[in-house]
Amino acid sequence: MSMASDMTVTLRLPTQTLFEGQAVQMTGMAPNGSFGILPNHMDFVTAIVPSVMTLRLADGSEEIFGLDEGLLVKKGHQITVCTLRGVRGDDLGTLQDMVEASFIQMDEDERQARAALSRLEADMVRRFAELKRPQL
């Protein structure tokens, strides 16, 4: 593998790509603690836990993300992070507000979807029970 000065990072959510671009450094949080990755880091796979992930871009600027649990794969000079939920922030103060607002809304949407699914399942069970009853 050749030596590189940067790496391609892709952060994916189920419905969209949150970020795709070049970075010179990444920091994140795994179940066993925080980690950092530079472009020539060895290949690896790790779970990520709900936390803040930072990227240092080639121009020296920093991107920060609030991520839910997910999976990170580093292969060559490519890093792919897949997570259920995530938001991009300007700074840590606003990121916390964005995470709370976004994740709370997603939790409410999931709760409503689960309630609707439960009603459908109960209706299906009731209909099957009616089919089993002998007709008089």
Side-chain angles (χ1 to χ4, degrees), residues 61-124:
S61 65
E62 189 173 72
E63 293 282 342
I64 60 172
F65 303 88
L67 302 179
D68 200 352
E69 59 190 16
L71 185 68
L72 178 144
V73 177
K74 159 95 172 54
K75 183 175 181 196
H77 304 298
Q78 173 73 41
I79 296 175
T80 303
V81 178
C82 297
T83 182
L84 294 174
R85 302 181 285 194
V87 293
R88 190 178 197 166
D90 296 324
D91 58 60
L92 288 175
T94 59
L95 182 65
Q96 181 174 350
D97 296 338
M98 292 173 65
V99 165
E100 287 175 0
S102 176
F103 287 16
I104 287 170
Q105 181 59 47
M106 287 181 193
D107 287 341
E108 177 61 20
D109 292 346
E110 285 180 19
R111 188 192 65 72
Q112 289 177 359
R114 285 190 180 122
L117 183 59
S118 291
R119 287 190 300 272
L120 287 171
E121 289 172 345
D123 184 58
M124 187 170 60

Side-chain angles (χ1 to χ4, degrees), residues 50-61:
S51 60
V52 173
M53 181 170 281
T54 62
L55 297 175
R56 171 92 43 212
L57 306 182
D59 64 5
S61 65

Side-chain angles (χ1 to χ4, degrees), residues 14-62:
T15 59
Q16 68 181 32
T17 298
L18 186 60
F19 175 86
E20 187 162 17
Q22 301 300 117
V24 296
Q25 179 182 359
M26 169 190 264
T27 61
M29 184 73 71
N32 60 343
S34 63
F35 62 88
I37 301 175
L38 297 172
N40 298 300
H41 193 286
M42 63 187 270
D43 294 351
F44 77 107
V45 175
T46 186
I48 56 170
V49 296
S51 60
V52 173
M53 181 170 281
T54 62
L55 297 175
R56 171 92 43 212
L57 306 182
D59 64 5
S61 65
E62 189 173 72

